[in-house]
Amino acid sequence: MLSWSVFPWCRGFRIPSTVVLTLIYIVYVLAGGAIFWKLEGDVAFKYITEMESKKVEVLSKFTCIDRDSMNGLAQVIIQSYKNGISLTDNLTIQGFWRYSSSAVFAATVATTIGYGNMAPSTPDGQIFCVFFALFGIPLNMVVLNRIGKYMLSMEKKVSASVGRKINCQRTLRVAIGLLSFLAGLSFFFCVPTVLFHEYEDWTYHQAFYYSFITLSTIGFGDLVAGINPDVTYPSWYRDFMGFWIFFGLAWLAQVINFCINMLEDLSSHLKQKQAAFLERKALEETIQEQLPSDHEDNKEDAKDPKT
């Protein structure tokens, strides 16, 4: 509970901490939306303007094509892209729904990444996706939680074993925790960033952005690795992707849990300080209320000659 007793006109009024955190969350989201709107809004308007100018240019060059026919062709191309079909100059066709791509899709459903670049279109596929996610998501959470705890316990065992030998467990635990964090950051972010830059022809900031969006299970789908039909990927590439996503999710979940624990500890510390402040304030008010009565008693004793 948060108290506003520092203000005389609202003394004793308290607001639950859950309400305060909810308000902070709402303000945070609204502020983020305003920033994204400012950063991306002008770019979206630019793309719309370019698209309209291209439409006018095509219609002026090819007078036999009307606007409806061009829009219909554009819809077919968009739908084909969503299904993973790339029409190159030699008319080679490659779709999403091979076994390897389907297995990756199943993993994105169970891990709730959900890129959105591919989705089932048949009624049977959509219904199966519902039941697959219904059991797959809890199973994924349990497995990742177990793996994350195992990774954390291994770290604690190593720090405790070495710490007993050098008689400096607390410092060593902090050092090993920092080293494991840096190692995880290197393996799950830095190494994939370099590989995606090399094989996907992305910039470094795009590759890093994709790594975080994937491991945090946000999964926008604007960038997806391993689906470019014009690239010949090495045989180990998809295996690395699966290994990276699975263990990276467990590692990042532990990092996020650590941040949550830090915020909860900070909240508990603030509550303790607030409770101490309120207790001290109440004690001061009690003392101030007793002072006038003590002063009056002293006056009465001075007037009474028998005392």
Side-chain angles (χ1 to χ4, degrees), residues 74-93:
Q75 291 296 326
V76 172
I77 294 174
I78 292 172
Q79 188 62 41
S80 299
Y81 172 78
K82 289 182 177 180
N83 291 326
I85 300 173
S86 175
L87 303 177
T88 58
D89 293 337
N90 55 3
L91 297 181
T92 57
I93 299 178

Side-chain angles (χ1 to χ4, degrees), residues 288-304:
Q288 289 177 358
E289 290 175 357
Q290 291 178 352
L291 283 177
S293 61
D294 293 341
H295 186 64
E296 292 295 332
D297 292 340
N298 293 332
K299 285 184 177 180
E300 291 178 0
D301 292 339
K303 292 179 180 179
D304 190 355

Side-chain angles (χ1 to χ4, degrees), residues 261-276:
N261 291 333
M262 287 184 60
L263 290 175
E264 290 180 347
D265 292 341
L266 178 61
S267 177
S268 299
H269 177 69
L270 293 176
K271 286 182 179 180
Q272 291 176 0
K273 290 187 65 177
Q274 185 182 24

Side-chain angles (χ1 to χ4, degrees), residues 46-60:
K46 176 184 176 182
Y47 288 154
I48 293 174
T49 304
E50 290 181 355
M51 182 183 68
E52 290 298 328
S53 64
K54 288 293 182 182
K55 279 186 177 181
V56 173
E57 181 180 351
V58 171
L59 291 174
S60 62

Side-chain angles (χ1 to χ4, degrees), residues 30-50:
L30 294 178
I35 293 173
F36 283 125
W37 177 39
K38 181 64 176 178
L39 294 176
E40 302 293 334
D42 295 339
V43 178
F45 180 77
K46 176 184 176 182
Y47 288 154
I48 293 174
T49 304
E50 290 181 355

Side-chain angles (χ1 to χ4, degrees), residues 144-160 173 176-177 180-181 250-251 253-255 257-258 261:
L144 290 181
N145 187 44
R146 293 289 181 88
I147 291 177
K149 288 182 177 179
Y150 179 76
M151 294 167 63
L152 189 61
S153 65
M154 289 295 295
E155 176 188 320
K156 291 181 179 179
K157 287 180 180 179
V158 171
S159 61
R173 184 175 178 181
I176 290 179
S180 64
F181 173 75
W251 175 80
Q254 291 302 311
V255 173
N257 287 334
F258 176 76
N261 291 333

